[in-house]
Each structure stands twice: as C-alpha cells, then as structure tokens.
Amino acid sequence: VARTDPRIMTMIVLAGASSFFVGNAFQAQMPEYAQVLGADNTGAWYSILLAANAAGAVLGVLLLEGADALRPSVRTAIVCAGLWGVTMGLFPMAGSYQVAVALLALAGVFSIAFTSMAQTLVQILAPARLRGATVGLFNTAMLGLRAGSGVTVGVLGAFIGVRLSLELSSLMVVFVAIAL
C-alpha cells in the first residue's frame, strides 16, 4: 500500500528522515547547549530548555485542536517538518538564552504539527484491510529510526561538536522536506 499511494510513502519518508537525522538525540546534549548559553550548574536553565520544547508541543496541540489553525494535508505536514528542521538548526546558533527558548518552543509546535498530521494522513489514507500494517510501518519509521539520530547528532557531535552536528542534521531534514 505504501508504494502504491505516494501520499502514504511521503509521510513515511518524512517521519523516517526527521527521526533518523534529528529525532530526540539533541535532548541528551541539552546540558552542553545550556552551558554554551551561559547556564550555571544548577540545572534549572537546562530544564527550562527542555520544558520550552514540551511547552511548544502543548501549544501546537492547542493550535491544531482548538484554533483549527492548520488543516492536515501532505503539503502542510511537509512544510511543518521543514520549519521544524529550520528551527532545530537555528537553535544551536542562538546567541541568547531567550532566543534559544523561543526557537525550542517553535520547534515543539512544528514537531507536534507534522507528526500528528503525518500519522493522521497515514491512518486515513490506508485501506482498512491494511491499516494496521501501514500504521505499523509508519511508526517504525517515526520511532524506530531514532537510533540513527544518536549517530547523526550524538556520535558525529563527539567529532565535530554538538552544535554543528545538530545544525547539519537539521539541514538534512530541511533538504528531505524540500525534496518531498
């Protein structure tokens, strides 16, 4: 089914690319980002960075559910994924703590928007008799490929620095979104 419906395949590729290149590996490196931004060792500033991303996701849910701001479509999911890649790529470049928090909050909005839209589209578009297998394939791409981000952001970050590795990994997500 995924091969016969380009919309389903696009959502699976989008989910897989975002998961593989960035995923959530950046969260494990948040202490280093916080330190670069001038945070002390108390952990409060680090926690605020993580909370900003989560708060953005909550805001995204409110926008999707309450304000009906974004209609689910393949194009909208791709645009939101591209914008997520942009905000995640700009985050390590942030020169101030406030800008970093704002970028992470925006990234949370775009992340929840594109992932929920992509999953919704896969569920709606998959034929009933193959829905479970199709959604399973989507979830494998979305969740199962996160190990790749441990390499693209984590291992690569050990060699070139966590900031540059997240910037490059995010750029790959933007390239995939543009290609799709």
Side-chain angles (χ1 to χ4, degrees):
V1 161
R3 287 182 297 200
T4 60
D5 191 328
R7 299 168 300 176
I8 293 173
M9 183 56 82
T10 298
M11 294 299 96
I12 291 170
V13 169
L14 186 66
S18 67
S19 182
F20 181 83
F21 289 114
V22 176
N24 59 356
F26 68 95
Q27 293 173 347
Q29 298 170 333
M30 205 59 79
E32 185 168 334
Y33 295 120
Q35 187 176 31
V36 167
L37 291 166
D40 58 15
N41 291 329
T42 63
W45 295 109
Y46 154 73
S47 297
I48 291 171
L49 289 174
L50 286 175
N53 199 240
V58 171
L59 178 60
V61 169
L62 294 174
L63 289 172
L64 288 170
E65 296 293 327
D68 200 23
L70 297 171
R71 294 261 182 229
S73 73
V74 171
R75 181 179 307 272
T76 305
I78 292 169
V79 168
C80 286
L83 291 171
W84 176 71
V86 168
T87 55
M88 287 307 303
L90 290 174
F91 160 67
M93 296 179 201
S96 77
Y97 194 79
Q98 294 80 3
V99 171
V101 168
L103 286 168
L104 285 173
L106 276 174
V109 170
F110 293 129
S111 176
I112 198 72
F114 90 80
T115 57
S116 62
M117 276 186 218
Q119 185 165 8
T120 298
L121 290 167
V122 169
Q123 288 175 323
I124 290 171
L125 296 171
R129 62 183 170 67
L130 297 172
R131 188 165 291 129
T134 306
V135 171
L137 177 60
F138 173 84
N139 285 331
T140 299
M142 186 69 192
L143 301 173
L145 292 177
R146 283 188 178 173
S149 69
V151 174
T152 62
V153 175
V155 174
L156 186 61
F159 293 106
I160 65 172
V162 296
R163 294 172 73 187
L164 183 57
S165 69
L166 182 56
E167 292 164 5
L168 293 175
S169 295
S170 298
L171 185 60
M172 293 304 298
V173 172
V174 173
F175 285 155
V176 169
I178 288 170
L180 291 173

